[in-house]
């Protein structure tokens, strides 16, 4: 239409489609960008009702929004709709409606359409992924939760709600200590700090008092959950072992004591299998080598020595493994290139159901 030719020239260069509707949705103007975005010649759709191009499942909601839009000049409504293109496919469009019936130059509803198909598909995939996560967690037999760095709950599963008699809407944003003041949470909070400090998964034995007044014992598996903003949350999965035999509980307690001593030892400690592969290391070991935990685990013992001492160290390690030696003097090699003389003491242990060698290092 001639009265819109000026606006056509202004918007021809934009990737968005601009339309003008009469009060009940009849298209009285469509910019030429419709050819590129939807495959329609403007002349082919002018005079038709805009609702015919919306997905049938969204037409009712569109009518309701349109009635709100028409209530007052100046009203603005934004919504995402599936719009039918000239090839018979639906594309997601962000549609911005502006009531300009009071402006003689427009005298209608100005609509701006922007293709958001890729963004919408990503959002739908994310929603599906989150729904799968909720279904899996809410059907898990363990009590599961995720906490932020301050210990505030950001997720709890259905078994948590049942075990602690609290709804997730009341639990989220609270710490366990705030929810259950007499629940023995000091030990649990200390274990959280271990996971955050060392950045690795750890298994703990913990006691709590549930709201029914019963002291319960748990095996708790805690692990770091990195966030996109650089923070780290704590994932927890706990199994109630209150009914286990005392022998089993003593074994778990002994394992926890070992892990606590291992992590808090002032000396670097490595655990290696018979192939000389490091399968565990404590915080001091990471500091000594100048590596984080994931970088250190999986390396061979010879990787930690200066290049000219690899053969000597492997020979000594073989003797330590075979029990011919229990202590050696050697050298450690950090990522900064520093050569550190160390005394290495060893002990044979069972770790992760396999025979291993525990190596404790002390600078000479």
């Amino acid at each position: 239409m001639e009265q819109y030719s000026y606006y056509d020239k202004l918007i021809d260069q934009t990737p968005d489609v601009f339309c003008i509707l009469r009060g009940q949705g009849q298209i009285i103007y469509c910019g030429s960008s419709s050819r590129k975005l939807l495959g329609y010649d403007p002349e082919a759709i002018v005079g038709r009702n805009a609702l015919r191009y919306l997905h049938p499942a969204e037409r009712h909601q569109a009518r309701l929004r349109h009635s709100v839009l028409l209530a007052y000049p100046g009203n603005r409504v934004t919504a995402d709709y599936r719009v039918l293109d000239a090839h018979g496919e639906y594309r997601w469009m962000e549609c911005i409606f502006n009531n300009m019936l009071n402006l003689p130059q427009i005298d209608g509803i100005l609509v701006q359409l922007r293709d958001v198909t890729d963004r919408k598909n990503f959002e739908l995939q994310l929603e599906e992924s989150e729904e799968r996560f909720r279904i899996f967690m809410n059907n898990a037999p363990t009590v599961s939760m995720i906490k932020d760095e301050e210990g505030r709950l950001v997720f709890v599963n259905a078994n948590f709600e049942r075990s602690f008699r609290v709804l997730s809407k009341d639990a989220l944003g609270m710490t366990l200590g705030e929810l259950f003041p007499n629940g023995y949470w000091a030990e649990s909070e200390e274990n959280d700090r271990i996971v955050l400090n060392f950045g690795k998964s750890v298994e703990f034995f913990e006691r709590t008092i549930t709201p029914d007044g019963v002291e319960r014992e748990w095996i708790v598996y805690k692990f770091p959950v990195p966030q996109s903003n650089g923070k780290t949350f704590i994932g927890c999965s706990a199994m109630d072992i209150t009914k286990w035999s005392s022998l089993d509980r003593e074994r778990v307690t002994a394992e926890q004591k070992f892990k606590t001593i291992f992590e808090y030892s002032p000396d670097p400690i490595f655990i290696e299998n018979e192939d000389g592969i490091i399968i565990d290391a404590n915080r001091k070991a990471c500091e000594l080598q100048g590596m984080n935990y994931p970088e250190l685990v999986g390396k061979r013992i010879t990787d930690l020595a200066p290049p000219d001492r690899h053969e000597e160290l492997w020979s000594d390690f073989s003797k330590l493994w075979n029990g011919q030696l229990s202590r050696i003097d050697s050298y450690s090699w950090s990522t900064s290139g520093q050569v550190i003389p160390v005394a290495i003491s060893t002990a044979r242990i069972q770790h992760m159901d396999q025979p291993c060698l525990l190596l404790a290092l002390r600078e000479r």
Side-chain angles (χ1 to χ4, degrees), residues 198 200 262-263 269-271 278-286 293 296-297:
F198 300 122
K200 65 177 183 177
F262 177 78
E263 295 294 358
I269 300 177
F270 301 84
I271 297 178
I278 299 167
I279 61 174
D280 206 351
N282 69 354
R283 177 172 54 90
K284 283 292 185 180
C286 295
Y293 182 79
L296 189 53
V297 171

Side-chain angles (χ1 to χ4, degrees), residues 181-228:
N182 300 316
Y184 299 168
W185 299 112
E187 180 182 22
S188 180
E189 291 169 358
E190 178 60 27
N191 292 340
D192 291 348
R193 284 190 284 271
I194 291 175
V195 174
L196 289 176
N197 288 340
F198 300 122
K200 65 177 183 177
S201 305
V202 187
E203 186 181 276
F204 301 98
F205 173 76
E206 295 181 358
R207 289 186 178 89
T208 65
I209 295 180
T210 49
D212 55 10
V214 176
E215 183 181 277
R216 297 189 179 274
E217 299 171 329
W218 309 81
I219 287 182
V220 185
Y221 182 72
K222 298 189 176 184
F223 48 93
V225 183
Q227 303 298 297
S228 59

Side-chain angles (χ1 to χ4, degrees), residues 150-164:
E150 284 73 43
R152 294 186 295 263
L153 295 165
V154 297
F155 170 82
V156 297
N157 72 344
N159 209 12
F160 178 99
E161 294 179 310
R162 288 190 293 269
S163 298
F164 291 96

Side-chain angles (χ1 to χ4, degrees), residues 67-282:
S67 63
V68 172
L69 182 71
L70 291 174
Y72 299 102
N75 272 6
R76 177 187 175 99
V77 173
T78 301
D80 291 344
Y81 291 125
R82 283 169 287 182
V83 177
L84 184 68
D85 67 17
H87 307 292
E89 297 180 356
Y90 285 97
R91 300 191 62 79
W92 280 103
M93 297 285 164
E94 179 185 58
C95 304
I96 304 171
F97 301 85
N98 288 278
N99 183 334
M100 296 185 174
L101 288 165
N102 61 327
L103 298 179
Q105 304 95 320
I106 302 296
D107 189 26
I109 306 298
L110 179 65
V111 187
Q112 180 180 357
L113 289 82
R114 177 173 299 155
D115 192 333
V116 292
T117 302
D118 292 340
R119 186 254 293 170
K120 198 70 178 181
N121 286 339
F122 175 78
E123 290 174 354
L124 293 173
Q125 290 171 8
L126 185 60
E127 288 175 7
E128 291 173 359
S129 175
E130 290 176 346
E131 182 61 19
R132 285 194 297 269
F133 170 79
R134 283 191 291 269
I135 291 172
F136 175 82
M137 294 302 291
N138 285 330
N139 287 278
T142 58
V143 168
S144 299
M145 69 197 88
I146 299 175
K147 309 176 192 176
D148 66 15
E149 291 177 319
E150 284 73 43
R152 294 186 295 263
L153 295 165
V154 297
F155 170 82
V156 297
N157 72 344
N159 209 12
F160 178 99
E161 294 179 310
R162 288 190 293 269
S163 298
F164 291 96
R165 299 183 182 179
V166 62
L167 296 177
S168 62
K169 66 182 182 66
D170 298 321
L172 299 184
M174 305 279 283
T175 67
L176 292 172
E178 291 169 342
L179 276 174
F180 315 109
N182 300 316
Y184 299 168
W185 299 112
E187 180 182 22
S188 180
E189 291 169 358
E190 178 60 27
N191 292 340
D192 291 348
R193 284 190 284 271
I194 291 175
V195 174
L196 289 176
N197 288 340
F198 300 122
K200 65 177 183 177
S201 305
V202 187
E203 186 181 276
F204 301 98
F205 173 76
E206 295 181 358
R207 289 186 178 89
T208 65
I209 295 180
T210 49
D212 55 10
V214 176
E215 183 181 277
R216 297 189 179 274
E217 299 171 329
W218 309 81
I219 287 182
V220 185
Y221 182 72
K222 298 189 176 184
F223 48 93
V225 183
Q227 303 298 297
S228 59
N229 60 5
K231 297 190 178 214
T232 300
F233 286 2
I234 305 161
C236 307
S237 183
M239 181 176 293
D240 188 345
I241 59 166
T242 307
K243 296 180 180 179
W244 283 19
S245 70
S246 59
L247 183 61
D248 289 329
R249 292 199 297 272
E250 288 172 5
R251 178 184 61 81
V252 173
T253 302
E255 290 177 354
Q256 184 180 15
K257 287 180 179 176
F258 168 77
K259 289 174 181 175
T260 302
I261 295 170
F262 177 78
E263 295 294 358
Y264 283 99
S265 170
D267 295 327
I269 300 177
F270 301 84
I271 297 178
E272 297 165 2
N273 63 20
E274 59 183 330
D275 296 319
I277 304 297
I278 299 167
I279 61 174
D280 206 351
N282 69 354

